[in-house]
Amino acid sequence: MEMDPSDMKTRIIAEKTALVVIDLQQGIAHPSRKGAPHESSVVVGNASRLAQAFAEEGGFVVLVRVSSFDGKDMLKPETDMHPSPTAYPAGWDEIVPELAEVKGAHMVTKRQWGAFFGTDLDLQLRRRGIDTIVLCGISTSIGVDMTAREAFQHGYQQIFVEDAMSASTTEEHEYVCRFIFPRIGKIRSTEEVLAALR
């Protein structure tokens, strides 16, 4: 990712910023599931570092998971691709251990790709006076992208942590990071976000 050197000194004000972590749960970010271009373990490790730093600095940490009550609350559009199985193994929606114990984290449960529709995410952010979202998780081109588009439409400033997200293929990840995210926010690395937070 090429970035303008003059714009690298982004300052993150913890009290006005939320770290929103998308779908880092057992059924999606399990080490056995390889991601691209970053493996799940790398994404989880970087997201965990970010979450700890935000918690320490007084930032708001939101852990988003996708789950279903009985399968009937999930979207089932007719598509050209084979549908995902509707039976989920026990524990598939549990947040990965590296993030599960983050102090003061707010849990959001969604029933679709984006984290805003049908949840209290916007309410929780606005009542805290938060105007900026730092976004990461899996998958770059699905849950992260959809949440980013919703956040854009809600008027939030956004920072995307490129090495704390990943997709099924490198092509999917790079397309979103190259053509979508630069239009609605700023792309940074984990190290850049940590440096801007402190």
Side-chain angles (χ1 to χ4, degrees), residues 121-159:
L121 179 56
D122 184 53
L123 175 71
Q124 295 293 341
L125 299 178
R126 293 194 188 281
R127 289 194 176 174
R128 288 170 170 80
I130 290 170
D131 59 18
T132 302
I133 295 173
V134 174
L135 201 54
C136 65
I138 297 175
S139 169
T140 309
S141 56
I142 300 178
V144 180
D145 181 30
M146 183 67 78
T147 300
R149 292 174 190 239
E150 291 176 334
F152 169 69
Q153 293 178 156
H154 280 76
Y156 290 100
Q157 302 298 324
Q158 297 187 81
I159 300 170

Side-chain angles (χ1 to χ4, degrees), residues 54-99:
F54 267 82
E56 289 170 9
E57 296 293 325
F60 188 49
V61 178
V62 181
L63 303 177
V64 179
R65 68 174 186 159
V66 61
S67 186
S68 175
F69 175 69
D70 58 4
K72 296 177 181 177
D73 53 1
M74 303 292 273
L75 297 170
K76 298 177 183 68
E78 294 183 10
T79 67
D80 288 332
M81 295 186 72
H82 296 293
S84 300
T86 54
Y88 300 102
W92 75 279
D93 57 356
E94 293 178 6
I95 297 295
V96 295
E98 294 88 338
L99 289 159

